[in-house]
Each structure stands twice: as structure tokens, then as C-alpha cells.
Amino acid sequence: VISQPAKILNFLRKQKYNADYELSAKQGADTLAYIALLEEKLLPALLHTFWVEAENYCSVTKPWFASRIAFPLSLYLPGKMSREALNRILLTRGGPPLYSLTEVEAQIYRDAKECLNLLSKRLGTSQFFFGDTPTTLDAFVFGFLAPIYKVCFPRVQLQEHLKQLPNLCRFCDDILTCYFRLTVSGHSPGGQDMADANLQKLTQLVNKESNLIEKMDDNLRKSPQHPPRKLTTLKLAAGGEESPLNRLSP
């Protein structure tokens, strides 16, 4: 199982899948710079929103994750993940001159809003960050923005700011529509297409078998017919006794 974005990208590149193949050297450098910006400026606020903000954690994050973790780890792991998120925030952003948690919280949300503004300005009116085709940067940005944009939190400080940037909201909606859209039956379009293809193959196989059975029936009807043989009747043995074979018959 590969779970980290960088490891996923490396794995896909080894399989000859590379969304950045047509990017220039400058665009590749911009991709690395913006990914570093996301991890430095937006990730702390995202961790705080999900794991440290008490109302969000108790009403959304903890029940959500606990429902998908087997008992008894569901009682322990969410709290452990929350503590790890807080420690990461304090280790990376809790140095001088920010000493109290309140000051750290205020700073990380200021940085996150500034990061969102920069992303909005960079995207502009384009569909994706480097034109009409999604790249690695689009995947990273979507991975950061979509949870903020779509999860219903009691405390929505960062979500409110994101919704004031319509091009980023449109960016998330477009990707959700194109790549994550579900049909009425609950299947993605790709999954539905595969189901339809499998059904078509199964129908073709059944039709072939039906045709084969019909041909076998025709061959049997056309083959020469022999009159049925008459079974010989068993006669009583001398002395009126039945033969041993007749005694065994029902």
C-alpha cells in the first residue's frame, strides 16, 4: 500500500504515467515551489481544522475516522492522531516570537489565507494551473482544498475564506465533476462503463452458448434414428421359482 503523495507519484512515474511530461523546466520548478508553499503555509491550518479545533474534532473528525477503524483501535488512534497533529504544529510553528497556542493558531490561519490568495491569483481564469490539462500541482492543490471546501465543520474559518475565492471553488467543483462524479446508482462513470462492458461480454457468452446448444439439437435431430430395443422378459425358472436376478429386482 502506497499512501504518501510523493511515493504515489514516484510509483506512477515508474509505470510510465507522468502528468508533467509536457511541462517546461520553469513550470516544473513552479510546481515544486507551490507544493512546498502548500506544505508550509496551508498544511498546518488544515491539520488544526481537522484535528486540533475541539468542535470540529469531536463532532466530525473523531467519529468519522473511528467509524472506519476496527475496535479497540478506534478508541485510541483518533486521539493519538490529534496529539501528533498538535505536536507537529507546535514544532514547526511554535518557536519565537509565537509562544502561546492562541498566537500560533492566529498565525497559521493568516498564513493559510495568504496561501489561498496566492493560489487564486496564480490560477486566475484558467481551468487548471498550467492550462487545460491537469498536472501534479493540480492534484496537490485539490488534495488540500477539497476537504476544506466540502467537509461540513461547526467551525469554518478557513472554509469561509475559501468560498470567497470563486475560481478555487470552481476548480474543486470541476475536478469533482470530471473525475469523482457519481451516478444515481452510486457508481462512478468509469465504474459504470466497466459494469456495462462486463454485462455485454456476459450476454455475448450466453448467446454463443445458446447457439451452440441449438446446433447440437439440430445435429441430434438430423442423425439417423434407430428403433428402440425391446427388453427381454425374465422367465420363471424350473419348478416355479424365480431366477436369482428376478428376486433382486424391485
Side-chain angles (χ1 to χ4, degrees):
V1 176
I2 304 173
S3 60
Q4 298 299 320
K7 293 180 180 179
I8 292 172
L9 291 173
N10 289 334
F11 172 80
L12 291 175
R13 286 180 181 132
K14 290 178 181 178
Q15 306 300 316
K16 309 301 181 184
Y17 296 104
N18 186 1
D20 301 338
Y21 181 76
E22 296 183 356
L23 296 184
S24 64
K26 182 181 182 304
Q27 290 173 330
D30 288 344
T31 297
L32 296 177
Y34 274 99
I35 290 174
L37 179 70
L38 288 168
E39 293 179 344
E40 181 183 356
K41 299 292 187 182
L42 193 55
L43 180 58
L46 189 64
L47 291 174
H48 189 276
T49 299
F50 271 84
W51 295 101
V52 180
E53 178 61 53
E55 287 186 54
N56 294 346
Y57 172 74
C58 293
S59 62
V60 176
T61 309
K62 182 179 179 180
W64 188 9
F65 277 75
S67 66
R68 286 158 175 78
I69 299 175
F71 181 86
L73 292 177
S74 59
L75 303 176
Y76 168 73
L77 282 182
K80 180 176 182 291
M81 296 166 75
S82 176
R83 291 189 296 271
E84 289 176 349
L86 177 59
N87 290 336
R88 176 169 180 170
I89 292 172
L90 293 177
L91 286 172
T92 56
R93 309 304 296 276
L98 305 176
Y99 293 100
S100 68
L101 182 59
T102 304
E103 292 175 339
V104 173
E105 291 175 1
Q107 184 61 48
I108 63 176
Y109 280 104
R110 282 196 297 269
D111 291 343
K113 292 175 182 178
E114 180 183 353
C115 180
L116 291 177
N117 293 338
L118 291 172
L119 291 173
S120 177
K121 184 178 179 179
R122 175 64 182 79
L123 180 63
T125 58
S126 301
Q127 183 178 5
F128 299 108
F129 280 91
F130 295 113
D132 298 331
T133 305
T135 63
T136 297
L137 179 59
D138 297 286
F140 264 90
V141 173
F142 176 79
F144 278 88
L145 297 188
I148 302 172
Y149 179 49
K150 284 297 184 181
V151 178
C152 297
F153 288 117
R155 300 291 296 273
V156 291
Q157 181 180 169
L158 202 57
Q159 190 179 77
E160 289 177 346
H161 186 79
L162 175 59
K163 289 184 176 180
Q164 295 173 7
L165 304 170
N167 61 339
L168 292 182
C169 296
R170 186 261 310 156
F171 171 81
C172 292
D173 288 332
D174 287 349
I175 292 181
L176 287 169
T177 301
C178 291
Y179 301 103
F180 296 93
R181 176 172 55 87
L182 295 179
T183 61
V184 175
S185 62
H187 297 287
S188 66
Q192 185 63 44
D193 292 343
M194 184 173 292
D196 293 341
N198 290 337
L199 180 60
Q200 185 177 3
K201 290 179 181 179
L202 181 60
T203 303
Q204 292 174 352
L205 180 62
V206 171
N207 291 337
K208 287 182 180 179
E209 291 183 351
S210 299
N211 294 334
L212 181 61
I213 292 173
E214 289 179 0
K215 289 181 180 179
M216 292 174 64
D217 290 340
D218 291 340
N219 293 335
L220 287 174
R221 282 193 293 269
K222 292 177 181 178
S223 62
Q225 301 294 320
H226 299 283
R229 294 181 179 180
K230 185 179 292 185
L231 295 176
T232 56
T233 57
L234 295 175
K235 296 181 179 181
L236 291 176
E241 294 181 358
E242 292 180 333
S243 65
L245 180 61
N246 202 26
R247 285 200 302 269
L248 291 175
S249 62

